[in-house]
Amino acid sequence: MGKGCLTASKYFLFLFNLIFFLFGAVVMGFGLWLLLDNQSFIVVLNNSMAVKVSCYILIGVGAFSMLLGFLGCLGAIYEIRCLLGLYFTCLLFILIAQITAGALMYFQKDTLNEEMSKIVTKVLDNYPGNNSTTEQAWDFIQRNMECCGWSGRMDWSGNMVIVNSSQLLFPCSCQNISLVSGNFSDSGFCEAQTPDWPVYDVGCASSVESWLLTNIGVVLGICLGVALIELLGMILSICLCRNIHTEDYTKVPKY
């Protein structure tokens, strides 16, 4: 490789790692946001250890990506072969892990849906209508996605407040605004005039699935873009590593 190509590869790799560092910061920030934001879906699923672990994994991946980006920048600018080799190996493992995680999520989607249904049903059964952080998050989801329950409105049939009340209560955040008039609450419980609740018929699982199908091109594009960027980083790092000249100590004069 010529000196000009080597220099270009070095600075391209530095720029790539700078972007990779910023990407890690975004991923870590996203994981922190899921854990700390009161309006995020993680608040609703705070009883699920698996979901919490997933958020901690996001934070860990982000921090690791930032460290990897820093090491890559250091190895590229100062032409340190061991750092470049370590960087290539880490990127390879990350790419394999991403492919494995994607395959597991695809083939285990029914199991994931069942787990989500159990978690949300437990949340709905214990929904007291006190406007707590968890309730605010679930109300926000139902109100904005125009859905009711996870599978449908019947998910609310086990709620203790509704079961034990002498009134015809239903969750206000499920209320279909096209079926009511006047002022209405968007949290807690509302009283229905008839046993047929004026709520959305679709469950939030269907709304989430519809959103994913609508945005599948964007999701796949992002995943493919990340994989291509990682491949580019691997190619640049191994080329730079192979073409960095080391001193030939066999030619050093002996005294």
Side-chain angles (χ1 to χ4, degrees):
M1 183 183 289
K3 187 176 180 180
C5 290
L6 190 64
T7 303
S9 298
K10 180 170 73 172
Y11 287 106
F12 267 121
L13 187 60
F14 175 81
L15 179 62
F16 166 81
N17 281 288
L18 183 61
I19 296 171
F20 201 71
F21 180 87
L22 295 175
F23 168 76
V26 170
V27 171
M28 186 171 69
F30 180 66
L32 289 170
W33 171 73
L34 285 177
L35 279 178
L36 302 177
D37 183 49
N38 290 338
Q39 297 293 332
S40 70
F41 195 65
I42 191 66
V43 178
V44 179
L45 306 177
N46 59 1
N47 292 322
S48 171
M49 183 57 65
V51 177
K52 281 188 173 182
V53 168
S54 298
C55 289
Y56 287 122
I57 288 174
L58 272 178
I59 295 170
V61 167
F64 180 71
S65 298
M66 292 176 69
L67 176 63
L68 198 58
F70 175 74
L71 292 177
C73 287
L74 206 63
I77 289 299
Y78 292 103
E79 300 183 358
I80 304 173
R81 297 188 70 177
C82 63
L83 282 183
L84 291 172
L86 176 64
Y87 175 77
F88 172 85
T89 305
C90 290
L91 271 185
L92 179 62
F93 281 128
I94 289 175
L95 189 59
I96 293 171
Q98 287 172 341
I99 294 171
T100 304
L104 285 174
M105 289 180 66
Y106 178 78
F107 290 111
Q108 298 292 323
K109 57 184 178 181
D110 292 335
T111 304
L112 288 173
N113 188 47
E114 289 177 10
E115 175 70 15
M116 289 289 291
S117 180
K118 290 177 183 177
I119 296 168
V120 174
T121 300
K122 185 176 179 181
V123 170
L124 300 186
D125 288 348
N126 297 311
Y127 182 101
N130 295 330
N131 206 28
S132 65
T133 302
T134 302
E135 293 171 30
Q136 288 176 12
W138 185 246
D139 288 336
F140 177 84
I141 292 163
Q142 290 189 137
R143 188 168 57 250
N144 285 274
M145 301 194 77
E146 298 184 348
C147 55
C148 192
W150 183 248
S151 302
R153 64 166 73 185
M154 293 308 295
D155 289 345
W156 284 96
S157 60
N159 180 270
M160 299 309 297
V161 175
I162 294 175
V163 170
N164 296 325
S165 176
S166 59
Q167 299 172 307
L168 296 173
L169 299 181
F170 68 92
C172 297
S173 57
C174 281
Q175 194 163 216
N176 189 337
I177 57 175
S178 64
L179 300 177
V180 295
S181 58
N183 296 326
F184 55 87
S185 176
D186 57 4
S187 62
F189 293 101
C190 296
E191 185 176 358
Q193 302 302 317
T194 65
D196 187 20
W197 294 352
V199 298
Y200 297 109
D201 292 321
V202 66
C204 293
S206 299
S207 298
V208 171
E209 186 176 354
S210 298
W211 182 88
L212 287 173
L213 289 173
T214 303
N215 297 277
I216 191 66
V218 176
V219 174
L220 288 176
I222 292 173
C223 294
L224 185 60
V226 169
L228 288 175
I229 289 172
E230 288 172 349
L231 281 173
L232 176 62
M234 290 169 64
I235 293 169
L236 287 174
S237 62
I238 200 65
C239 287
L240 189 60
C241 185
R242 285 171 59 87
N243 287 277
I244 290 175
H245 297 292
T246 55
E247 295 295 335
D248 187 357
Y249 292 102
T250 60
K251 297 181 180 180
V252 177
K254 295 180 179 179
Y255 296 97

